Amino acid sequence: MQKITKTMLKVTIKDTQNPAIVKFEFPEFITKSQNFEFKNIDETAASPLAKQLFFLPFVKTVYISGNFIAIEKFSIVEWHEVKELVAEQIETFVDKGGKIINVEENSSKKIPVTVYSETTPNPSVMKFVASKMLTKTMVECKNIDQTAASPLAKELFKFPFVKEVFIDENYVSISKYDISEWMEITQEIRSFIKTYIEEGKTVIDETQIIKTQNHETQQEEYFEKLDATSQQIINILEEYVKPAVQSDGGNIMFQSFDEKEKRVKVILQGACSGCPSSTFTLKNGIENMLKEMLHDQEIKVEAVNG
């Protein structure tokens, strides 16, 4: 009697620019019109496979898009130790008839979302705030060539008046050229962003984020290597300054501290980059705060536009 050999699924393992994320590619599309992000097992009603993957203790986030599943891991393991195991588990699950996505759970329903606009201290920048989280990792795009990690930013650059795009947490800050006034274009941009999010399109592709020097400085490993004063400065910026800056559609990051010159350099991004009032804010706000909290009247603050 002839033995019938069943064709087994084979996924391809691909490393990404983010060392915490690995992609597992399928030979064909597993979802054509939607992208999914699952941050914990309670969010996996739409994906039995994602639910299964969360039983692995090192799985932090699961992304499903196009022909791949991307997994972000916690730092308790290294990918070279476990990625073959994950690939095998995915292949076995699918070969046994397990569903990747429950189609009935995701029929082309729109995701209800509210988007509203806010003015910022920078007259060239408008902030568009969504009623849902858009990203865990801040992304700044100075031009369309820098949009590999953000399909939304890429689409926004197709508007001729869009100069720069900054995306963080639940908002998008857009810098415009002078060819248009905000009163003429705000509603158009707000509607575009709202529709884009409601259709479930990808705002930020975490697998494509290049770990630049700015990203590296936000990591715990970098913080631990700094001197005590630099650590104090970062803590002050994070607790007292950043929330106010983010509310204005921007971001501030510590760059360096020169102990000899008592000079603090910070990076301004989003609405804060190039803002006419940023110099006043630095000198009369941040600099005075650092002088008082560090008990050092010689402290100076300089800004580097992101």
Side-chain angles (χ1 to χ4, degrees):
M1 182 169 146
Q2 186 177 5
K3 183 178 179 181
I4 299 175
T5 304
K6 183 180 177 182
T7 302
M8 303 292 286
L9 169 71
K10 183 66 178 175
V11 299
T12 302
I13 302 171
K14 293 281 185 70
D15 294 329
T16 72
Q17 293 169 329
N18 185 336
I21 299 176
V22 165
K23 290 169 69 173
F24 300 87
E25 294 185 351
F26 287 69
E28 58 188 24
F29 279 90
I30 53 179
T31 174
K32 293 184 179 180
S33 60
Q34 290 179 286
N35 303 286
F36 303 89
E37 179 179 356
F38 307 103
K39 297 179 181 178
N40 56 63
I41 198 168
D42 293 334
E43 297 180 355
T44 58
S47 176
L49 175 54
K51 182 178 181 179
Q52 181 71 22
L53 290 170
F54 272 108
F55 286 112
L56 298 171
F58 53 83
V59 170
K60 182 178 181 181
T61 309
V62 177
Y63 311 89
I64 300 178
S65 178
N67 71 325
F68 70 85
I69 294 172
I71 299 175
E72 180 181 10
K73 69 172 182 66
F74 288 108
S75 57
I76 57 173
V77 297
E78 297 299 327
W79 268 121
H80 68 84
E81 300 170 338
V82 297
K83 58 186 179 183
E84 296 289 346
L85 168 69
V86 174
E88 182 181 345
Q89 180 160 325
I90 292 172
E91 292 165 351
T92 301
F93 181 89
V94 175
D95 283 332
K96 289 184 176 179
K99 289 185 178 180
I100 300 173
I101 295 292
N102 282 327
V103 179
E104 61 273 13
E105 292 275 346
N106 299 277
S107 48
S108 65
K109 291 181 182 177
K110 284 192 173 183
I111 306 165
V113 66
T114 301
V115 176
Y116 64 89
S117 59
E118 284 185 357
T119 57
T120 75
N122 189 338
S124 297
V125 178
M126 187 71 72
K127 179 182 177 184
F128 297 87
V129 185
S131 58
K132 69 184 291 283
M133 286 293 292
L134 303 178
T135 180
K136 298 178 293 181
T137 307
M138 171 274 298
V139 169
E140 183 176 40
C141 306
K142 296 287 191 179
N143 54 61
I144 198 168
D145 291 336
Q146 297 178 359
T147 59
S150 178
L152 172 58
K154 185 175 183 178
E155 292 302 312
L156 287 169
F157 273 110
K158 293 178 181 179
F159 291 99
F161 44 76
V162 171
K163 184 179 181 181
E164 298 177 9
V165 179
F166 178 82
I167 306 174
D168 194 12
E169 296 188 351
N170 69 325
Y171 67 89
V172 181
S173 288
I174 295 176
S175 173
K176 70 172 182 64
Y177 288 104
D178 293 336
I179 58 171
S180 301
E181 298 298 327
W182 282 120
M183 62 182 296
E184 302 167 344
I185 60 177
T186 297
Q187 182 59 34
E188 181 180 6
I189 297 176
R190 189 195 70 81
S191 298
F192 177 83
I193 294 173
K194 182 177 187 296
T195 301
Y196 186 97
I197 298 171
E198 286 182 334
E199 291 178 350
K201 295 179 180 178
T202 301
V203 175
I204 300 291
D205 182 352
E206 300 275 348
T207 69
Q208 294 300 312
I209 291 178
I210 299 174
K211 292 299 179 182
T212 61
Q213 183 177 359
N214 285 351
H215 282 114
E216 294 298 332
T217 60
Q218 303 305 298
Q219 306 305 310
E220 186 175 345
E221 294 85 352
Y222 173 83
F223 180 84
E224 294 298 332
K225 294 177 183 177
L226 294 174
D227 60 272
T229 304
S230 294
Q231 292 181 348
Q232 281 183 283
I233 293 169
I234 290 175
N235 288 333
I236 292 169
L237 294 177
E238 290 288 328
E239 184 173 355
Y240 297 101
V241 181
K242 183 172 283 190
V245 170
Q246 287 180 322
S247 71
D248 286 336
N251 188 47
I252 185 170
M253 293 193 300
F254 171 84
Q255 186 184 63
S256 65
F257 171 63
D258 187 316
E259 188 174 4
K260 183 177 179 181
E261 296 185 1
K262 300 296 181 72
R263 190 183 309 278
V264 179
K265 288 188 178 181
V266 297
I267 298 171
L268 298 179
Q269 297 175 302
C272 298
S273 180
C275 178
S277 63
S278 62
T279 301
F280 178 85
T281 302
L282 283 170
K283 294 298 177 185
N284 294 277
I286 300 170
E287 187 174 287
N288 287 342
M289 180 184 295
L290 290 176
K291 285 179 177 179
E292 181 180 346
M293 299 186 77
L294 296 174
H295 308 292
D296 189 340
Q297 292 303 307
E298 295 182 16
I299 290 286
K300 298 179 288 290
V301 177
E302 289 184 2
V304 179
N305 288 332

